[in-house]
Amino acid sequence: INIGQPLDDLAVDLKIGDYRLVGKLGNRYQNGSLIYRYANLKGKDFISAWLHHLIIHHKQEQNTYLISADEDLLFQPDICDPGYLLQFIEIYRLGQQQPNAFFVEAALAYINQAANPKAKKSPLDAAADSLSKSLEYESEQELRQLYGKVADMGLILTDSFEQQCETLLLPAWKATHG
């Protein structure tokens, strides 16, 4: 991808709405940002790259590349809406107050299905299947404690989950898939 030489981490101090976002961004190169992991794409990878792209866009316009074993995605500068980062901050803030229905793996299943014109099941059904499957993993102990006894995933994946997928993630997914 001709990304160039690595660059030092970038200090970040941004005012986003009523919030201040402070930290540093790594994964920077002369010709963009590169996030990679040699495994199939996971929701956490997509969200991480999307957040990285939105944050760095406040400092400079550039491409962000997300490379996994099964996907090569390119986030271009023109997909950055100023409201997206504030929405992520709000999701985080609300999640600090009570359990939140923003499940990243279920969200990836949702947007993947929503963007597929040949899909046989609804995006919400795909997300529910993904969440049910996640409950089986040993590494998801907290998830099982909170939602392990819920038979109907529709009670967890509410309109709020669907709205977040549609407005915050799906536009980026479609843009990275041409």
Side-chain angles (χ1 to χ4, degrees), residues 92-108:
Y92 176 80
R93 187 187 65 77
L94 292 172
Q96 296 297 305
Q97 297 172 6
Q98 65 184 24
N100 191 328
F102 189 70
F103 302 102
V104 295
E105 301 311 324
L108 180 63

Side-chain angles (χ1 to χ4, degrees), residues 34-50:
L34 173 62
I35 299 168
Y36 61 92
R37 193 165 71 96
Y38 192 73
N40 287 345
L41 183 70
K42 302 276 189 264
K44 64 183 178 182
D45 304 325
F46 181 77
I47 299 295
S48 178
W50 186 211

Side-chain angles (χ1 to χ4, degrees), residues 127-167:
D129 290 349
S130 173
L131 184 56
S132 293
K133 191 175 177 182
S134 294
L135 290 171
E136 298 171 10
Y137 297 138
E138 185 65 33
S139 61
E140 296 290 356
Q141 294 176 8
E142 295 88 1
L143 195 60
R144 276 200 311 280
Q145 284 181 331
L146 288 170
Y147 304 110
K149 303 221 186 293
V150 178
D152 179 7
M153 291 296 125
L155 297 172
I156 299 170
L157 301 176
T158 63
D159 291 342
S160 174
F161 170 82
E162 193 166 17
Q163 184 267 334
Q164 289 167 346
C165 289
E166 288 285 335
T167 62

Side-chain angles (χ1 to χ4, degrees), residues 42-111:
K42 302 276 189 264
K44 64 183 178 182
D45 304 325
F46 181 77
I47 299 295
S48 178
W50 186 211
L51 277 168
H52 181 99
H53 187 67
L54 291 170
I55 292 168
I56 203 157
H57 183 74
H58 281 273
K59 299 293 249 177
Q60 63 195 48
E61 289 191 2
Q62 68 172 42
N63 290 331
T64 300
Y65 300 87
L66 171 59
I67 298 175
S68 67
D70 62 340
E71 295 268 0
D72 291 346
L73 305 180
L74 170 60
F75 296 82
Q76 295 179 320
D78 63 344
I79 65 171
C80 292
D81 181 300
Y84 290 152
L85 192 52
L86 183 57
Q87 287 179 57
F88 271 117
I89 292 170
E90 282 296 319
I91 290 168
Y92 176 80
R93 187 187 65 77
L94 292 172
Q96 296 297 305
Q97 297 172 6
Q98 65 184 24
N100 191 328
F102 189 70
F103 302 102
V104 295
E105 301 311 324
L108 180 63
Y110 181 101
I111 60 177

